[in-house]
Amino acid sequence: SISPHFSHHFFLSSSSPPANFPGACQASQVADLFPSVTPEVVVREARLDDSWEVVETHCSSFFPEYSFPLDFVMRIDRLIAMIFGFPVPHGCKRTCLVAVVGSSTNTFYIESDDLKFGGFDAKFSLNKGHVAGILTVDTVADFLPRKGSLRQRRTGIAYISNVAVREKFRRLGIAKRLVAKAEAQAWSWGCHAVALHCDLNNPGATNLYKSQGFKCIKVPEGANWPQPKTSPDIQFNFMMKLVRAPTTSS
């Protein structure tokens, strides 16, 4: 069944995320493994006019077994939750990044400084290309161990989730580009590290993150560290990486 809530990891650039939903898919589950990237790929923050393609990429990557009408209902559910969302904790940030193919460098935009929709600037492109991959990065720290006896949120660590690349665009290095952009975003927020959970049964994704400098962090025995709300049968590696000032644009 479809939860009435949308994963707070999957959201357009805003400080207003949706709530968690059981079955939230995490950064480990859909990733391409090869480093070559076509020059037509642009990684940027998602905009309002990307919404449906972001939903399509998410659902087709993480729930390919769903068929009509359930797949359509799920897409509408995700779309509504993604656009309207819920407030993040004070001082936290969240953004959805998209990898776009086929966009022109001379793209023409229609926008208004006064028009807002669901907390977003309404910005529409007449030649924006197609969304090939998505990633969410935040500083909400829902899946990071809490600090001290008061269980305070950890700060200075960004969390990556929902990395997905459409099937026909895999093996082009798009996931690597998305992760690199997320690291740059984390640095701009003042974070010193990024973290993610990776499915133990997905060695390809684990190797991808290790190739980009992520290290597996051993959870102390008996510790009750939070984990993504997916199938109870899935076990995760918790991985982290220190971030540095970006040297080139992603």
Side-chain angles (χ1 to χ4, degrees):
S1 63
I2 296 179
S3 166
H5 300 298
F6 186 79
S7 169
H8 71 247
H9 298 294
F10 176 52
F11 199 62
L12 297 183
S13 303
S14 177
S15 58
S16 302
N20 278 332
F21 72 100
C25 295
Q26 300 304 313
S28 64
Q29 291 175 285
V30 180
D32 51 331
L33 307 178
F34 295 86
S36 60
V37 181
T38 60
E40 295 82 10
V41 177
V42 174
V43 179
R44 57 167 171 77
E45 292 188 3
R47 300 190 301 259
L48 185 60
D49 58 338
D50 297 316
S51 298
W52 183 253
E53 285 191 273
V54 171
V55 168
E56 280 283 336
T57 302
H58 176 87
C59 293
S60 64
S61 297
F62 294 127
F63 306 102
E65 74 281 4
Y66 283 28
S67 58
F68 187 84
L70 188 57
D71 60 339
F72 179 74
V73 174
M74 174 179 285
R75 282 161 169 75
I76 297 300
D77 175 71
R78 302 301 192 259
L79 180 65
I80 293 171
M82 179 180 66
I83 293 175
F84 293 101
F86 300 93
V88 296
H90 177 72
C92 295
K93 297 179 181 295
R94 176 176 290 118
T95 191
C96 176
L97 301 176
V98 292
V100 179
V101 296
S103 61
S104 169
T105 56
N106 297 317
T107 300
F108 178 74
Y109 296 106
I110 300 174
E111 58 184 317
S112 170
D113 293 334
D114 300 321
L115 182 60
K116 299 280 186 178
F117 189 84
F120 305 109
D121 292 327
K123 185 175 183 180
F124 297 89
S125 165
L126 300 184
N127 183 23
K128 71 180 185 64
H130 300 283
V131 172
I134 59 174
L135 173 152
T136 305
V137 58
D138 67 60
T139 60
V140 178
D142 277 346
F143 298 112
L144 300 178
R146 296 295 177 119
K147 291 191 301 183
S149 58
L150 297 179
R151 297 186 59 78
Q152 296 174 310
R153 289 182 185 274
R154 291 194 178 268
T155 58
I157 304 175
Y159 186 79
I160 292 174
S161 60
N162 283 339
V163 182
V165 177
R166 285 184 179 241
E167 186 173 5
K168 67 179 179 179
F169 295 115
R170 293 174 191 168
R171 302 188 178 186
L172 296 175
I174 290 175
K176 286 191 173 185
R177 285 282 297 273
L178 285 163
V179 172
K181 187 73 171 180
E183 292 174 20
Q185 182 70 75
W187 175 267
S188 74
W189 289 340
C191 297
H192 58 80
V194 288
L196 56 85
H197 282 90
C198 185
D199 188 345
L200 281 172
N201 293 320
N202 193 337
T206 301
N207 291 336
L208 168 71
Y209 298 125
K210 284 183 175 180
S211 73
Q212 291 191 270
F214 284 83
K215 306 292 185 184
C216 293
I217 306 299
K218 183 175 176 58
V219 178
E221 188 172 350
N224 185 24
W225 286 15
Q227 290 196 25
K229 295 176 175 63
T230 59
S231 167
D233 298 329
I234 297 179
Q235 294 182 307
F236 294 97
N237 274 323
F238 181 63
M239 306 181 75
M240 291 188 68
K241 176 186 178 179
L242 296 177
V243 294
R244 297 180 175 86
T247 56
T248 59
S249 60
S250 299

